[in-house]
mmCIF file of all heavy atoms in Angstrom:
data_model
loop_
_atom_site.group_PDB
_atom_site.id
_atom_site.type_symbol
_atom_site.label_atom_id
_atom_site.label_comp_id
_atom_site.label_asym_id
_atom_site.label_seq_id
_atom_site.Cartn_x
_atom_site.Cartn_y
_atom_site.Cartn_z
ATOM 1 N N VAL A 74 34.834 -71.171 -13.191
ATOM 2 C CA VAL A 74 34.358 -72.330 -13.942
ATOM 3 C C VAL A 74 33.093 -71.914 -14.674
ATOM 4 O O VAL A 74 32.210 -71.273 -14.096
ATOM 5 C CB VAL A 74 34.054 -73.526 -13.003
ATOM 6 C CG1 VAL A 74 33.448 -74.684 -13.779
ATOM 7 C CG2 VAL A 74 35.319 -73.966 -12.283
ATOM 8 N N GLU A 75 33.023 -72.261 -15.943
ATOM 9 C CA GLU A 75 31.843 -71.971 -16.749
ATOM 10 C C GLU A 75 31.088 -73.259 -17.036
ATOM 11 O O GLU A 75 31.694 -74.261 -17.396
ATOM 12 C CB GLU A 75 32.246 -71.309 -18.063
ATOM 13 C CG GLU A 75 32.891 -69.962 -17.863
ATOM 14 C CD GLU A 75 33.316 -69.337 -19.170
ATOM 15 O OE1 GLU A 75 34.247 -69.873 -19.792
ATOM 16 O OE2 GLU A 75 32.703 -68.342 -19.557
ATOM 17 N N ASP A 76 29.791 -73.198 -16.869
ATOM 18 C CA ASP A 76 28.925 -74.326 -17.195
ATOM 19 C C ASP A 76 27.736 -73.751 -17.949
ATOM 20 O O ASP A 76 26.773 -73.272 -17.341
ATOM 21 C CB ASP A 76 28.475 -75.054 -15.929
ATOM 22 C CG ASP A 76 27.673 -76.311 -16.234
ATOM 23 O OD1 ASP A 76 27.622 -76.724 -17.415
ATOM 24 O OD2 ASP A 76 27.092 -76.868 -15.298
ATOM 25 N N GLY A 77 27.858 -73.731 -19.253
ATOM 26 C CA GLY A 77 26.820 -73.090 -20.057
ATOM 27 C C GLY A 77 26.806 -71.597 -19.791
ATOM 28 O O GLY A 77 27.818 -70.931 -19.917
ATOM 29 N N ARG A 78 25.663 -71.085 -19.356
ATOM 30 C CA ARG A 78 25.530 -69.655 -19.088
ATOM 31 C C ARG A 78 25.903 -69.274 -17.662
ATOM 32 O O ARG A 78 25.848 -68.108 -17.298
ATOM 33 C CB ARG A 78 24.099 -69.223 -19.375
ATOM 34 C CG ARG A 78 23.732 -69.400 -20.846
ATOM 35 C CD ARG A 78 22.341 -68.953 -21.122
ATOM 36 N NE ARG A 78 22.235 -67.524 -20.813
ATOM 37 C CZ ARG A 78 21.116 -66.857 -20.785
ATOM 38 N NH1 ARG A 78 19.986 -67.461 -21.039
ATOM 39 N NH2 ARG A 78 21.092 -65.579 -20.490
ATOM 40 N N VAL A 79 26.277 -70.250 -16.840
ATOM 41 C CA VAL A 79 26.602 -69.993 -15.437
ATOM 42 C C VAL A 79 28.121 -69.966 -15.258
ATOM 43 O O VAL A 79 28.823 -70.870 -15.691
ATOM 44 C CB VAL A 79 25.985 -71.077 -14.519
ATOM 45 C CG1 VAL A 79 26.404 -70.878 -13.083
ATOM 46 C CG2 VAL A 79 24.471 -71.077 -14.654
ATOM 47 N N THR A 80 28.600 -68.913 -14.587
ATOM 48 C CA THR A 80 30.019 -68.794 -14.256
ATOM 49 C C THR A 80 30.131 -68.619 -12.752
ATOM 50 O O THR A 80 29.449 -67.781 -12.172
ATOM 51 C CB THR A 80 30.653 -67.577 -14.960
ATOM 52 O OG1 THR A 80 30.512 -67.734 -16.367
ATOM 53 C CG2 THR A 80 32.124 -67.435 -14.619
ATOM 54 N N THR A 81 30.969 -69.427 -12.119
ATOM 55 C CA THR A 81 31.211 -69.293 -10.685
ATOM 56 C C THR A 81 32.681 -68.980 -10.469
ATOM 57 O O THR A 81 33.540 -69.374 -11.261
ATOM 58 C CB THR A 81 30.830 -70.576 -9.919
ATOM 59 O OG1 THR A 81 31.557 -71.681 -10.465
ATOM 60 C CG2 THR A 81 29.341 -70.858 -10.028
ATOM 61 N N ASN A 82 32.965 -68.253 -9.375
ATOM 62 C CA ASN A 82 34.332 -67.836 -9.059
ATOM 63 C C ASN A 82 34.838 -68.550 -7.828
ATOM 64 O O ASN A 82 34.067 -68.910 -6.948
ATOM 65 C CB ASN A 82 34.381 -66.326 -8.799
ATOM 66 C CG ASN A 82 33.998 -65.541 -10.013
ATOM 67 O OD1 ASN A 82 34.539 -65.746 -11.083
ATOM 68 N ND2 ASN A 82 33.041 -64.648 -9.858
ATOM 69 N N ALA A 83 36.168 -68.676 -7.751
ATOM 70 C CA ALA A 83 36.795 -69.373 -6.628
ATOM 71 C C ALA A 83 36.859 -68.504 -5.380
ATOM 72 O O ALA A 83 36.864 -69.020 -4.278
ATOM 73 C CB ALA A 83 38.200 -69.826 -7.007
ATOM 74 N N GLY A 84 36.921 -67.205 -5.515
ATOM 75 C CA GLY A 84 37.048 -66.347 -4.336
ATOM 76 C C GLY A 84 37.106 -64.891 -4.727
ATOM 77 O O GLY A 84 36.809 -64.530 -5.866
ATOM 78 N N ILE A 85 37.516 -64.067 -3.802
ATOM 79 C CA ILE A 85 37.459 -62.616 -4.005
ATOM 80 C C ILE A 85 38.328 -62.166 -5.176
ATOM 81 O O ILE A 85 37.838 -61.525 -6.102
ATOM 82 C CB ILE A 85 37.846 -61.879 -2.712
ATOM 83 C CG1 ILE A 85 36.787 -62.163 -1.649
ATOM 84 C CG2 ILE A 85 37.973 -60.384 -2.955
ATOM 85 C CD1 ILE A 85 37.123 -61.675 -0.279
ATOM 86 N N THR A 86 39.604 -62.466 -5.166
ATOM 87 C CA THR A 86 40.458 -62.003 -6.261
ATOM 88 C C THR A 86 40.168 -62.749 -7.561
ATOM 89 O O THR A 86 40.341 -62.202 -8.639
ATOM 90 C CB THR A 86 41.956 -62.117 -5.918
ATOM 91 O OG1 THR A 86 42.264 -63.471 -5.621
ATOM 92 C CG2 THR A 86 42.316 -61.231 -4.747
ATOM 93 N N SER A 87 39.698 -63.979 -7.459
ATOM 94 C CA SER A 87 39.310 -64.720 -8.662
ATOM 95 C C SER A 87 38.076 -64.093 -9.300
ATOM 96 O O SER A 87 37.836 -64.265 -10.484
ATOM 97 C CB SER A 87 39.021 -66.173 -8.319
ATOM 98 O OG SER A 87 40.184 -66.816 -7.878
ATOM 99 N N GLY A 88 37.312 -63.367 -8.506
ATOM 100 C CA GLY A 88 36.135 -62.682 -9.030
ATOM 101 C C GLY A 88 36.492 -61.668 -10.094
ATOM 102 O O GLY A 88 35.724 -61.461 -11.038
ATOM 103 N N THR A 89 37.648 -61.039 -9.970
ATOM 104 C CA THR A 89 38.087 -60.073 -10.977
ATOM 105 C C THR A 89 38.293 -60.775 -12.311
ATOM 106 O O THR A 89 37.818 -60.314 -13.347
ATOM 107 C CB THR A 89 39.403 -59.390 -10.531
ATOM 108 O OG1 THR A 89 39.172 -58.743 -9.286
ATOM 109 C CG2 THR A 89 39.883 -58.397 -11.562
ATOM 110 N N VAL A 90 38.972 -61.899 -12.286
ATOM 111 C CA VAL A 90 39.227 -62.656 -13.518
ATOM 112 C C VAL A 90 37.912 -63.186 -14.092
ATOM 113 O O VAL A 90 37.671 -63.114 -15.296
ATOM 114 C CB VAL A 90 40.226 -63.800 -13.255
ATOM 115 C CG1 VAL A 90 40.449 -64.623 -14.497
ATOM 116 C CG2 VAL A 90 41.537 -63.241 -12.746
ATOM 117 N N GLY A 91 37.038 -63.699 -13.225
ATOM 118 C CA GLY A 91 35.741 -64.191 -13.677
ATOM 119 C C GLY A 91 34.884 -63.082 -14.256
ATOM 120 O O GLY A 91 34.214 -63.266 -15.275
ATOM 121 N N ALA A 92 34.907 -61.913 -13.633
ATOM 122 C CA ALA A 92 34.133 -60.779 -14.135
ATOM 123 C C ALA A 92 34.641 -60.319 -15.494
ATOM 124 O O ALA A 92 33.850 -60.000 -16.389
ATOM 125 C CB ALA A 92 34.182 -59.630 -13.139
ATOM 126 N N LEU A 93 35.960 -60.313 -15.668
ATOM 127 C CA LEU A 93 36.513 -59.941 -16.971
ATOM 128 C C LEU A 93 36.133 -60.957 -18.040
ATOM 129 O O LEU A 93 35.909 -60.597 -19.196
ATOM 130 C CB LEU A 93 38.027 -59.769 -16.875
ATOM 131 C CG LEU A 93 38.470 -58.525 -16.114
ATOM 132 C CD1 LEU A 93 39.966 -58.575 -15.831
ATOM 133 C CD2 LEU A 93 38.102 -57.263 -16.870
ATOM 134 N N ARG A 94 36.027 -62.213 -17.666
ATOM 135 C CA ARG A 94 35.569 -63.236 -18.615
ATOM 136 C C ARG A 94 34.122 -62.971 -19.018
ATOM 137 O O ARG A 94 33.754 -63.078 -20.182
ATOM 138 C CB ARG A 94 35.718 -64.638 -17.999
ATOM 139 C CG ARG A 94 35.134 -65.742 -18.829
ATOM 140 C CD ARG A 94 35.820 -65.879 -20.189
ATOM 141 N NE ARG A 94 35.191 -66.967 -20.916
ATOM 142 C CZ ARG A 94 34.781 -66.886 -22.167
ATOM 143 N NH1 ARG A 94 34.968 -65.781 -22.859
ATOM 144 N NH2 ARG A 94 34.210 -67.908 -22.756
ATOM 145 N N LEU A 95 33.283 -62.573 -18.054
ATOM 146 C CA LEU A 95 31.897 -62.247 -18.377
ATOM 147 C C LEU A 95 31.810 -61.019 -19.282
ATOM 148 O O LEU A 95 30.999 -60.987 -20.211
ATOM 149 C CB LEU A 95 31.082 -62.019 -17.105
ATOM 150 C CG LEU A 95 30.804 -63.266 -16.277
ATOM 151 C CD1 LEU A 95 30.078 -62.885 -14.990
ATOM 152 C CD2 LEU A 95 29.980 -64.265 -17.068
ATOM 153 N N VAL A 96 32.644 -60.020 -19.020
ATOM 154 C CA VAL A 96 32.682 -58.850 -19.897
ATOM 155 C C VAL A 96 33.046 -59.281 -21.312
ATOM 156 O O VAL A 96 32.445 -58.836 -22.292
ATOM 157 C CB VAL A 96 33.666 -57.783 -19.375
ATOM 158 C CG1 VAL A 96 33.897 -56.686 -20.408
ATOM 159 C CG2 VAL A 96 33.175 -57.189 -18.072
ATOM 160 N N GLU A 97 34.028 -60.173 -21.399
ATOM 161 C CA GLU A 97 34.432 -60.679 -22.721
ATOM 162 C C GLU A 97 33.263 -61.351 -23.426
ATOM 163 O O GLU A 97 33.012 -61.111 -24.607
ATOM 164 C CB GLU A 97 35.593 -61.658 -22.572
ATOM 165 C CG GLU A 97 36.067 -62.224 -23.888
ATOM 166 C CD GLU A 97 37.173 -63.248 -23.722
ATOM 167 O OE1 GLU A 97 37.546 -63.598 -22.590
ATOM 168 O OE2 GLU A 97 37.656 -63.733 -24.767
ATOM 169 N N ARG A 98 32.517 -62.171 -22.705
ATOM 170 C CA ARG A 98 31.377 -62.880 -23.307
ATOM 171 C C ARG A 98 30.255 -61.930 -23.708
ATOM 172 O O ARG A 98 29.618 -62.109 -24.732
ATOM 173 C CB ARG A 98 30.844 -63.925 -22.347
ATOM 174 C CG ARG A 98 31.779 -65.118 -22.213
ATOM 175 C CD ARG A 98 31.314 -66.105 -21.195
ATOM 176 N NE ARG A 98 30.020 -66.676 -21.530
ATOM 177 C CZ ARG A 98 29.319 -67.432 -20.704
ATOM 178 N NH1 ARG A 98 29.786 -67.704 -19.496
ATOM 179 N NH2 ARG A 98 28.168 -67.926 -21.065
ATOM 180 N N LEU A 99 30.002 -60.911 -22.874
ATOM 181 C CA LEU A 99 28.866 -60.020 -23.112
ATOM 182 C C LEU A 99 29.190 -58.822 -23.998
ATOM 183 O O LEU A 99 28.335 -58.375 -24.769
ATOM 184 C CB LEU A 99 28.307 -59.523 -21.770
ATOM 185 C CG LEU A 99 27.755 -60.603 -20.849
ATOM 186 C CD1 LEU A 99 27.426 -60.013 -19.481
ATOM 187 C CD2 LEU A 99 26.527 -61.260 -21.464
ATOM 188 N N ALA A 100 30.404 -58.281 -23.868
ATOM 189 C CA ALA A 100 30.731 -57.045 -24.588
ATOM 190 C C ALA A 100 31.872 -57.203 -25.582
ATOM 191 O O ALA A 100 32.186 -56.252 -26.297
ATOM 192 C CB ALA A 100 31.072 -55.945 -23.583
ATOM 193 N N GLY A 101 32.520 -58.368 -25.593
ATOM 194 C CA GLY A 101 33.581 -58.619 -26.561
ATOM 195 C C GLY A 101 34.978 -58.525 -25.980
ATOM 196 O O GLY A 101 35.204 -57.971 -24.908
ATOM 197 N N ARG A 102 35.909 -59.111 -26.735
ATOM 198 C CA ARG A 102 37.312 -59.179 -26.292
ATOM 199 C C ARG A 102 37.947 -57.805 -26.158
ATOM 200 O O ARG A 102 38.714 -57.555 -25.241
ATOM 201 C CB ARG A 102 38.128 -60.023 -27.266
ATOM 202 C CG ARG A 102 37.801 -61.498 -27.188
ATOM 203 C CD ARG A 102 38.617 -62.314 -28.187
ATOM 204 N NE ARG A 102 40.032 -62.251 -27.978
ATOM 205 C CZ ARG A 102 40.718 -62.987 -27.091
ATOM 206 N NH1 ARG A 102 40.081 -63.846 -26.332
ATOM 207 N NH2 ARG A 102 42.020 -62.861 -26.979
ATOM 208 N N ALA A 103 37.641 -56.909 -27.075
ATOM 209 C CA ALA A 103 38.255 -55.583 -27.025
ATOM 210 C C ALA A 103 37.878 -54.859 -25.732
ATOM 211 O O ALA A 103 38.734 -54.237 -25.087
ATOM 212 C CB ALA A 103 37.844 -54.760 -28.241
ATOM 213 N N GLU A 104 36.609 -54.934 -25.355
ATOM 214 C CA GLU A 104 36.168 -54.261 -24.130
ATOM 215 C C GLU A 104 36.772 -54.919 -22.892
ATOM 216 O O GLU A 104 37.204 -54.238 -21.965
ATOM 217 C CB GLU A 104 34.642 -54.250 -24.047
ATOM 218 C CG GLU A 104 34.092 -53.474 -22.888
ATOM 219 C CD GLU A 104 34.379 -51.977 -22.950
ATOM 220 O OE1 GLU A 104 34.962 -51.480 -23.935
ATOM 221 O OE2 GLU A 104 34.022 -51.295 -21.988
ATOM 222 N N ALA A 105 36.810 -56.243 -22.857
ATOM 223 C CA ALA A 105 37.432 -56.941 -21.729
ATOM 224 C C ALA A 105 38.913 -56.589 -21.638
ATOM 225 O O ALA A 105 39.440 -56.363 -20.548
ATOM 226 C CB ALA A 105 37.253 -58.446 -21.856
ATOM 227 N N GLY A 106 39.584 -56.512 -22.768
ATOM 228 C CA GLY A 106 40.988 -56.133 -22.790
ATOM 229 C C GLY A 106 41.199 -54.714 -22.301
ATOM 230 O O GLY A 106 42.112 -54.435 -21.524
ATOM 231 N N ARG A 107 40.328 -53.795 -22.721
ATOM 232 C CA ARG A 107 40.431 -52.394 -22.295
ATOM 233 C C ARG A 107 40.262 -52.278 -20.778
ATOM 234 O O ARG A 107 41.058 -51.635 -20.103
ATOM 235 C CB ARG A 107 39.372 -51.552 -23.001
ATOM 236 C CG ARG A 107 39.459 -50.066 -22.691
ATOM 237 C CD ARG A 107 38.273 -49.312 -23.252
ATOM 238 N NE ARG A 107 37.044 -49.613 -22.535
ATOM 239 C CZ ARG A 107 36.727 -49.122 -21.329
ATOM 240 N NH1 ARG A 107 37.567 -48.323 -20.689
ATOM 241 N NH2 ARG A 107 35.576 -49.437 -20.763
ATOM 242 N N ILE A 108 39.240 -52.941 -20.249
ATOM 243 C CA ILE A 108 38.989 -52.887 -18.805
ATOM 244 C C ILE A 108 40.116 -53.578 -18.043
ATOM 245 O O ILE A 108 40.599 -53.069 -17.035
ATOM 246 C CB ILE A 108 37.627 -53.512 -18.470
ATOM 247 C CG1 ILE A 108 36.511 -52.659 -19.061
ATOM 248 C CG2 ILE A 108 37.453 -53.669 -16.964
ATOM 249 C CD1 ILE A 108 35.145 -53.307 -19.000
ATOM 250 N N GLY A 109 40.534 -54.751 -18.511
ATOM 251 C CA GLY A 109 41.612 -55.490 -17.846
ATOM 252 C C GLY A 109 42.895 -54.692 -17.770
ATOM 253 O O GLY A 109 43.568 -54.673 -16.740
ATOM 254 N N GLU A 110 43.235 -54.007 -18.848
ATOM 255 C CA GLU A 110 44.446 -53.188 -18.847
ATOM 256 C C GLU A 110 44.314 -52.010 -17.890
ATOM 257 O O GLU A 110 45.258 -51.653 -17.197
ATOM 258 C CB GLU A 110 44.758 -52.699 -20.257
ATOM 259 C CG GLU A 110 45.279 -53.800 -21.156
ATOM 260 C CD GLU A 110 45.505 -53.333 -22.577
ATOM 261 O OE1 GLU A 110 45.550 -52.101 -22.811
ATOM 262 O OE2 GLU A 110 45.634 -54.190 -23.458
ATOM 263 N N SER A 111 43.126 -51.413 -17.823
ATOM 264 C CA SER A 111 42.951 -50.268 -16.925
ATOM 265 C C SER A 111 42.970 -50.699 -15.460
ATOM 266 O O SER A 111 43.356 -49.922 -14.592
ATOM 267 C CB SER A 111 41.655 -49.514 -17.243
ATOM 268 O OG SER A 111 40.527 -50.277 -16.906
ATOM 269 N N LEU A 112 42.554 -51.952 -15.166
ATOM 270 C CA LEU A 112 42.616 -52.459 -13.798
ATOM 271 C C LEU A 112 44.029 -52.811 -13.375
ATOM 272 O O LEU A 112 44.337 -52.835 -12.188
ATOM 273 C CB LEU A 112 41.745 -53.714 -13.655
ATOM 274 C CG LEU A 112 40.240 -53.533 -13.727
ATOM 275 C CD1 LEU A 112 39.549 -54.893 -13.673
ATOM 276 C CD2 LEU A 112 39.756 -52.644 -12.598
ATOM 277 N N ALA A 113 44.880 -53.118 -14.354
ATOM 278 C CA ALA A 113 46.270 -53.525 -14.092
ATOM 279 C C ALA A 113 46.315 -54.689 -13.102
ATOM 280 O O ALA A 113 47.129 -54.715 -12.187
ATOM 281 C CB ALA A 113 47.105 -52.355 -13.600
ATOM 282 N N TYR A 114 45.421 -55.663 -13.275
ATOM 283 C CA TYR A 114 45.387 -56.831 -12.401
ATOM 284 C C TYR A 114 46.614 -57.690 -12.685
ATOM 285 O O TYR A 114 46.871 -58.062 -13.831
ATOM 286 C CB TYR A 114 44.106 -57.628 -12.645
ATOM 287 C CG TYR A 114 43.900 -58.756 -11.680
ATOM 288 C CD1 TYR A 114 43.456 -58.513 -10.391
ATOM 289 C CD2 TYR A 114 44.164 -60.062 -12.049
ATOM 290 C CE1 TYR A 114 43.269 -59.544 -9.489
ATOM 291 C CE2 TYR A 114 43.981 -61.104 -11.158
ATOM 292 C CZ TYR A 114 43.530 -60.841 -9.888
ATOM 293 O OH TYR A 114 43.358 -61.860 -8.994
ATOM 294 N N PRO A 115 47.426 -58.000 -11.664
ATOM 295 C CA PRO A 115 48.694 -58.714 -11.877
ATOM 296 C C PRO A 115 48.512 -60.061 -12.585
ATOM 297 O O PRO A 115 47.716 -60.884 -12.162
ATOM 298 C CB PRO A 115 49.229 -58.931 -10.455
ATOM 299 C CG PRO A 115 48.494 -57.974 -9.600
ATOM 300 C CD PRO A 115 47.171 -57.731 -10.266
ATOM 301 N N GLY A 116 49.244 -60.236 -13.673
ATOM 302 C CA GLY A 116 49.265 -61.509 -14.372
ATOM 303 C C GLY A 116 48.067 -61.801 -15.261
ATOM 304 O O GLY A 116 47.990 -62.855 -15.868
ATOM 305 N N TRP A 117 47.117 -60.856 -15.377
ATOM 306 C CA TRP A 117 45.930 -61.121 -16.180
ATOM 307 C C TRP A 117 46.181 -60.822 -17.648
ATOM 308 O O TRP A 117 46.778 -59.810 -18.002
ATOM 309 C CB TRP A 117 44.744 -60.278 -15.717
ATOM 310 C CG TRP A 117 43.539 -60.500 -16.569
ATOM 311 C CD1 TRP A 117 42.645 -61.501 -16.457
ATOM 312 C CD2 TRP A 117 43.136 -59.727 -17.696
ATOM 313 N NE1 TRP A 117 41.694 -61.407 -17.438
ATOM 314 C CE2 TRP A 117 41.973 -60.324 -18.219
ATOM 315 C CE3 TRP A 117 43.642 -58.608 -18.325
ATOM 316 C CZ2 TRP A 117 41.306 -59.816 -19.326
ATOM 317 C CZ3 TRP A 117 42.969 -58.111 -19.430
ATOM 318 C CH2 TRP A 117 41.822 -58.710 -19.913
#
């Protein structure tokens, strides 16, 4: 869940998705996509 500049995660595996969202916000979609693909996180 995002509330302005604060992002909280639901749990351990949700942290991966939340972290990739932060990468997207801070470094851009291309970088988040590159990292997400290299992690091969199921369904992301």
Side-chain angles (χ1 to χ4, degrees):
V74 175
E75 296 179 292
D76 185 10
R78 297 181 62 189
V79 176
T80 300
T81 57
N82 297 308
I85 294 172
T86 59
S87 295
T89 301
V90 177
L93 288 169
R94 173 62 180 131
L95 290 176
V96 170
E97 180 183 4
R98 288 176 62 189
L99 298 172
R102 289 179 62 82
E104 185 65 3
R107 184 188 70 76
I108 294 170
E110 287 176 16
S111 69
L112 290 176
Y114 187 77
W117 178 83

